[in-house]
């Protein structure tokens, strides 16, 4: 069941994609939606503040916090207008922290929700908002829905593609996506390089498992070099008119800096449809 959703509202980029997607999900599941926006305080200001008690430094720090609070409030106003219009249960929360601390705070918050919605990191845009989604994926311990920056709502996942390689991460994503799979009209298993998957966790055995749960799925097997896996998936998503992808997220955290696997990194860089990932 999805009854409690968290959404990260960006403060340095357009908030509309994640607002539209998260509000649509809350409506579809009758869920409560919490919005969390971070206003970023300059890390250098925070560092100087720790090392000096001078009145001038304190004044600069307070100005930074006030500016950060204004940015967060403005972003949350966009969310609240849509949440009120949709008549959902919601709350809004703002934090003012250094970027690394904000990423850790939002990732920790995500651990107590059924689903977290975050914006796709936008390549070529210098924004602290780009660092948070990766940390949420690695640290949350649950499903994270990445919303492409080109997305325009409302979000409906009627046709879902499950990227299946028999791995632990893929299995975790599958289980985390079950509430969405149960509402879908069509499911497609995207089995790339099936011969490399464990026999016990083959796409055929996945289909048997889902059929027992009343979730019939069609299997599409493809072969691709590692560098071509991500474009192959997105090409198939377009051909099959998929509304959402489900896939495992690979990577680890290195001192508040998410280090992602190649396919995961490539998908986040160029995704075209909302993608649910679990780590």
């Amino acid at each position: 069941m999805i009854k409690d959703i968290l959404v990260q509202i960006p403060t340095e980029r357009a908030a509309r994609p994640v607002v539209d997607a998260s509000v649509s999900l809350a409506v579809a599941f009758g869920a409560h939606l919490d919005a969390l926006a971070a206003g970023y305080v300059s890390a250098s200001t925070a560092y100087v503040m720790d090392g000096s008690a001078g009145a001038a430094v304190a004044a600069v720090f307070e100005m930074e916090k006030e500016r950060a609070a204004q940015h967060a409030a403005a972003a949350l106003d966009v969310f609240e207008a849509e949440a009120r219009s949709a008549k959902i249960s919601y709350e809004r929360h703002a934090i003012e922290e250094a970027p690394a601390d904000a990423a850790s705070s939002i990732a920790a918050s995500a651990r107590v929700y059924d689903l977290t919605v975050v914006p796709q990191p936008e390549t070529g845009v210098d924004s602290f908002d780009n660092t948070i989604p990766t940390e949420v994926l690695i640290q949350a311990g649950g499903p994270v829905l990445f919303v492409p920056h080109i997305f325009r709502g409302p979000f409906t996942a009627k046709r879902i593609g499950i990227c299946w390689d028999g791995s632990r991460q893929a299995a975790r994503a599958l289980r985390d996506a079950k509430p969405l799979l149960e509402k879908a009209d069509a499911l497609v298993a995207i089995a790339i390089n099936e011969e490399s998957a464990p026999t016990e966790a083959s796409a055929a055995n996945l289909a048997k498992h889902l059929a027992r749960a009343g979730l019939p799925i069609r299997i599409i097997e493809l072969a691709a070099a590692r560098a071509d896996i991500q474009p192959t998936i997105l090409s198939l998503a377009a051909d099959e008119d998929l509304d959402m992808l489900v896939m495992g997220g690979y990577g680890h955290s290195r001192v508040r800096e998410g280090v992602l696997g190649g396919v995961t990194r490539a998908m986040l860089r160029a995704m075209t449809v909302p993608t649910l990932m679990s780590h």
Side-chain angles (χ1 to χ4, degrees):
M1 294 292 290
I2 297 178
K3 288 298 180 184
D4 206 12
I5 302 171
L6 176 68
V7 58
Q8 176 211 344
I9 305 295
T11 57
E12 298 181 337
R13 294 169 43 196
R16 181 62 59 185
V18 289
V19 168
D20 288 349
S22 60
V23 170
S24 298
L25 278 166
V27 171
F29 285 94
H32 175 84
L33 179 60
D34 277 343
L36 181 54
Y40 303 108
V41 178
S42 169
S44 59
T45 301
Y47 176 79
V48 171
M49 185 64 184
D50 286 340
S52 171
V57 174
V60 171
F61 183 69
E62 287 305 315
M63 289 176 61
E64 279 279 311
K65 286 199 69 175
E66 182 178 352
R67 178 193 57 79
Q70 290 172 349
H71 284 187
L76 288 169
D77 286 345
V78 175
F79 162 79
E80 186 165 28
E82 294 302 315
R84 280 183 174 175
S85 178
K87 296 181 171 59
I88 61 171
S89 170
Y90 74 92
E91 291 181 17
R92 52 182 280 172
H93 307 275
I95 58 174
E96 299 86 40
E97 294 182 350
D101 294 331
S104 294
S105 294
I106 295 178
S109 297
R111 295 171 192 155
V112 298
Y113 289 86
D114 300 320
L115 175 67
T116 302
V117 181
V118 298
Q120 170 199 10
E122 194 168 354
T123 303
V125 175
D126 185 16
S127 167
F128 292 128
D129 285 326
N130 285 336
T131 66
I132 290 177
T134 299
E135 282 302 318
V136 171
L137 172 63
I138 292 170
Q139 296 187 38
V144 180
L145 180 67
F146 288 85
V147 180
H149 55 78
I150 62 172
F151 176 83
R152 298 297 179 270
F155 172 65
T156 56
K158 295 302 183 184
R159 296 180 59 80
I160 299 177
I162 300 171
C163 304
W164 186 256
D165 61 2
S167 66
R168 180 192 68 79
Q169 289 87 348
R172 174 63 187 270
L174 173 72
R175 294 188 183 97
D176 285 342
K178 277 285 182 69
L180 288 154
L181 304 184
E182 290 167 354
K183 285 181 172 288
D185 294 335
L187 302 177
V188 177
I190 305 171
I192 296 181
N193 303 330
E194 172 73 358
E195 70 280 356
S196 300
T199 303
E200 300 83 355
S202 66
N205 283 340
L206 168 67
K208 289 179 183 178
H209 163 69
L210 290 176
R212 295 184 186 116
L215 297 172
I217 190 168
R218 180 163 54 92
I219 300 173
I220 298 178
E221 295 187 22
L222 298 169
R226 186 166 186 80
D228 296 329
I229 290 176
Q230 175 265 342
T232 298
I233 291 172
L234 293 182
S235 177
L236 180 60
D239 292 343
E240 293 289 326
D241 195 25
L242 299 180
D243 302 309
M244 188 182 82
L245 291 169
V246 175
M247 64 185 296
Y250 298 82
H252 61 277
S253 185
R254 185 180 65 194
V255 193
R256 294 179 178 176
E257 179 186 354
V259 181
L260 300 176
V263 175
T264 303
R265 185 172 58 252
M267 182 62 72
L268 293 184
R269 185 185 305 121
M271 64 172 54
T272 53
V273 296
T275 301
L276 184 145
M277 293 188 183
S278 292
H279 175 60

